[in-house]
Amino acid sequence: GQSLEQPSEVTAVEGAIVQINCTYQTSGFYGLSWYQQHDGGAPTFLSYNALDGLEETGRFSSFLSRSDSYGYLLLQELQMKDSASYFCAVKGNQGGKLIFGQGTELSVKP
Amino acid sequence: DTGVSQDPRHKITKRGQNVTFRCDPISEHNRLYWYRQTLGQGPEFLTYFQNEAQLEKSRLLSDRFSAERPKGSFSTLEIQRTEQGDSAMYLCASSVDTELMYFGPGTRLTVL
């Protein structure tokens, strides 16, 4: 089977840095993705890691350690608009489905 | 192309009725996915297609659920004999053999 664990909620202040962790257990592994979802909106793609290391895209970075079955999403220079739910998702085989975690609700305070 | 579209956006039905949802993916995308999401939870995989072939269906999906993608373009998801537990947001997504999935706005189903 496949399972992912991430914190249910995180609170941070504007301008700060926050890290959202994700650990996974899968029978196969083809990569770890991160999606953002605002209230009432659809999930939107943020980043993807297939290999160990850090991927940076503007204020957002994502890290993967395959040996530890662990990854994280790092959000820098937090803005109020970053308040949303963030999901990690694992692809168990090439071309297959994504399995999503339960999501982390991020609240950014002024 | 403006992205993945879904119709209807909202559906209210009585228990026991059948409902059908439609998804139009981004035109050149060969993969199409259906997910279900309830409040406070992550999207739960239902099924996915590569072109017109249904490659995988969740074991959680009862026989009341069926999906088609007859010409490898749009897809329909039908729920027969709806139950209150079927109330959820039904999300469609498409991709082109990549890790980047584009989600539609979803169809919110309420079963009374």
Side-chain angles (χ1 to χ4, degrees):
Chain A
Q2 296 167 310
S3 67
L4 297 94
E5 287 192 17
Q6 52 182 128
S8 59
E9 54 186 37
V10 173
T11 301
V13 296
E14 222 174 349
I17 299 173
V18 72
Q19 178 174 312
I20 300 174
N21 299 320
C22 174
T23 57
Y24 58 87
Q25 288 186 322
T26 58
S27 52
F29 181 79
Y30 249 87
L32 183 71
S33 300
W34 289 90
Y35 282 75
Q36 178 192 60
Q37 186 177 31
H38 286 98
D39 270 351
T44 56
F45 174 83
L46 289 178
S47 69
Y48 168 72
N49 296 69
L51 303 175
D52 290 353
L54 192 68
E55 294 284 339
E56 298 180 70
T57 309
R59 295 187 298 114
F60 294 179
S61 303
S62 58
F63 172 82
L64 174 66
S65 169
R66 289 175 297 169
S67 60
D68 295 323
S69 298
Y70 163 76
Y72 66 73
L73 179 69
L74 191 72
L75 298 87
Q76 303 182 70
E77 301 172 19
L78 281 174
Q79 302 175 9
M80 298 295 289
K81 68 178 182 180
D82 296 329
S83 293
S85 292
Y86 292 84
F87 297 92
C88 58
V90 168
K91 176 169 283 193
N93 55 72
Q94 188 176 18
K97 62 185 183 288
L98 281 181
I99 300 297
F100 285 81
Q102 301 282 52
T104 298
E105 185 174 356
L106 172 64
S107 297
V108 180
K109 307 294 185 186
Chain B
D1 194 300
T2 56
V4 179
S5 61
Q6 294 187 243
D7 183 70
R9 297 291 306 277
H10 304 273
K11 178 70 177 178
I12 300 173
T13 191
K14 293 182 178 179
R15 189 176 51 186
Q17 298 295 304
N18 299 343
V19 295
T20 300
F21 309 143
R22 177 180 169 121
C23 171
D24 287 89
I26 294 172
S27 59
E28 65 270 20
H29 286 189
N30 61 340
R31 292 184 185 274
L32 186 149
Y33 307 80
W34 284 99
Y35 284 81
R36 176 172 64 189
Q37 187 176 29
T38 53
L39 194 63
Q41 302 295 313
E44 175 189 26
F45 170 76
L46 295 179
T47 188
Y48 90 96
F49 295 82
Q50 180 169 317
N51 301 313
E52 66 276 8
Q54 188 173 18
L55 296 188
E56 189 171 350
K57 184 175 177 180
S58 169
R59 287 172 291 176
L60 300 175
L61 218 57
S62 77
D63 291 341
R64 297 185 296 107
F65 288 72
S66 62
E68 294 183 343
R69 194 183 183 195
K71 297 182 180 179
S73 56
F74 74 92
S75 175
T76 58
L77 176 69
E78 181 183 18
I79 309 174
Q80 297 182 326
R81 304 180 302 281
T82 53
E83 302 171 356
Q84 288 185 323
D86 297 332
S87 294
M89 177 73 83
Y90 289 83
L91 295 165
C92 175
S94 68
S95 69
V96 189
D97 294 334
T98 68
E99 310 313 320
L100 173 46
M101 292 170 56
Y102 294 86
F103 281 85
T107 294
R108 182 169 296 283
L109 172 67
T110 302
V111 182
L112 302 175

